[in-house]
Amino acid sequence: GDSADAHAAELQSVREGHDVHARALLDRLESTHGKHAQDLQSLMEAHGHHARMADRLDYLERVVGDSADVHAAELQSVREGHDVHARALLDRLESTHGKHAQDLQSLMEAHGHHAKMADRLDYLERVVGDSADSHAAELQSVREGHDVHA
């Protein structure tokens, strides 16, 4: 009897201890479950935000990439246009350089001709001037001679 009663009392004590321990575990599990549920919800929201961030980053890379491609094409077009313009300008410069060289040569020859003309004109002016001076002196002499005879 006593041993069965003691055993029954001990078994009852273990059951009660187990119930207390089980309830404490359940309470702890329920409180941590709520925290874990909140953590899981936050993690899911952050993952959704990251997915949106990845989409935004993809969009920006496409826009910047497209813009860089457009700029590169425009730059190449400008370079090609510049090359065409530079070649045309050099061709024109080379063709006009020959004409300008000829014009300069003609101008130098004309200047040389004008210098000769100036020398010739100076000579004529000296001859005519000397002649005019001589005629004026002779005329004066005739007048004085005329005055003496008059």
Side-chain angles (χ1 to χ4, degrees), residues 95-147:
S95 69
T96 57
H97 175 18
K99 182 180 180 321
H100 289 163
Q102 289 173 348
D103 290 347
L104 180 59
Q105 184 63 34
S106 297
L107 184 60
M108 289 171 62
E109 289 171 4
H111 180 69
H113 179 69
H114 287 301
K116 291 176 188 170
M117 290 290 276
D119 292 342
R120 291 168 61 191
L121 187 58
D122 286 344
Y123 171 74
L124 288 174
E125 287 175 342
R126 277 194 313 272
V127 168
V128 170
D130 289 349
S131 178
D133 292 341
S134 171
H135 290 315
E138 191 176 329
L139 184 60
Q140 183 63 31
S141 172
V142 169
R143 284 187 187 152
E144 288 174 359
H146 186 276
D147 289 340

Side-chain angles (χ1 to χ4, degrees), residues 21-72:
H21 183 66
R23 283 202 178 127
L25 280 176
L26 282 176
D27 289 346
R28 188 168 180 204
L29 182 63
E30 285 176 356
S31 73
T32 58
H33 177 267
K35 182 178 180 330
H36 288 290
Q38 287 176 351
D39 290 346
L40 180 62
Q41 182 64 32
S42 296
L43 184 61
M44 289 172 59
E45 288 173 5
H47 178 70
H49 177 69
H50 286 298
R52 286 187 301 249
M53 187 67 90
D55 292 341
R56 291 168 61 190
L57 185 57
D58 288 343
Y59 169 75
L60 288 174
E61 287 173 341
R62 277 193 315 273
V63 168
V64 169
D66 291 347
S67 179
D69 293 343
V70 168
H71 288 150

Side-chain angles (χ1 to χ4, degrees), residues 89-90 95 115 123 148:
L89 188 59
L90 284 174
S95 69
Y123 171 74
V148 168

